[in-house]
Amino acid sequence: MLLALLFFLFAGHALMDYALQPDVMAGCKCRKHNGPTAKAVPWYYWLTAHAVLHGAMVGLVVRWFGFGWDAVVILALAETAVHWLIDFGKCEKWFGINTDQALHIACKVAWFGLIATQVVTP
């Protein structure tokens, strides 16, 4: 059952980063994007909304696997913060899409590791 948790953390990431991320968010979350929507809504709103959705997905998966609200909140907030920083780095062109995705996957492995080693418990 533990590997199923890792699978759904990965699946949630794919869902939020690809299937459910509209093109407008993908562009407007970057500080230097200058499309018409980016002029109306600040980039950090877009980036924060995107990161919060990722945090919510991690929290949803963790809760679905029977963990309490303390674990859900800790991992959801950690995912939100780290996802924000990673995407900011990609938008600033500090690294490319491959590094971006590797870092996101590494985060899911880290959250899984905290659960698997019982640092985070149900």
Side-chain angles (χ1 to χ4, degrees), residues 101-114:
Q101 290 302 300
L103 290 169
H104 290 316
I105 294 302
C107 288
K108 304 313 175 286
V109 171
W111 313 148
F112 172 78
L114 290 172

Side-chain angles (χ1 to χ4, degrees), residues 11-22 25 50 53-54 57:
H13 173 77
L15 187 65
M16 299 311 293
D17 238 17
Y18 294 98
L20 296 181
Q21 181 177 197
M25 181 176 279
H50 177 68
L53 290 171
H54 275 276
M57 179 58 75

Side-chain angles (χ1 to χ4, degrees), residues 1-8 64-67 112:
M1 177 156 119
L2 211 49
L3 285 179
L5 171 64
L6 184 60
F7 171 80
F8 283 105
W64 184 37
F65 275 79
F67 286 79
F112 172 78

Side-chain angles (χ1 to χ4, degrees), residues 18-116:
Y18 294 98
L20 296 181
Q21 181 177 197
D23 289 343
V24 67
M25 181 176 279
C28 288
K29 70 182 179 184
C30 295
R31 186 168 62 97
K32 296 174 184 166
H33 186 76
N34 60 4
T37 306
K39 292 176 181 147
V41 179
W43 66 271
Y44 46 87
Y45 285 15
W46 291 102
L47 181 55
T48 301
H50 177 68
V52 165
L53 290 171
H54 275 276
M57 179 58 75
V58 166
L60 182 68
V61 169
V62 170
R63 182 70 177 157
W64 184 37
F65 275 79
F67 286 79
W69 287 107
D70 288 345
V72 168
V73 169
I74 288 166
L75 293 176
L77 289 175
E79 174 66 22
T80 299
V82 176
H83 200 97
W84 197 100
L85 292 169
I86 292 168
D87 276 17
F88 181 80
K90 182 188 67 173
C91 286
E92 293 296 303
K93 300 191 183 334
W94 295 343
F95 45 81
I97 185 73
N98 293 332
T99 300
D100 168 78
Q101 290 302 300
L103 290 169
H104 290 316
I105 294 302
C107 288
K108 304 313 175 286
V109 171
W111 313 148
F112 172 78
L114 290 172
I115 290 169

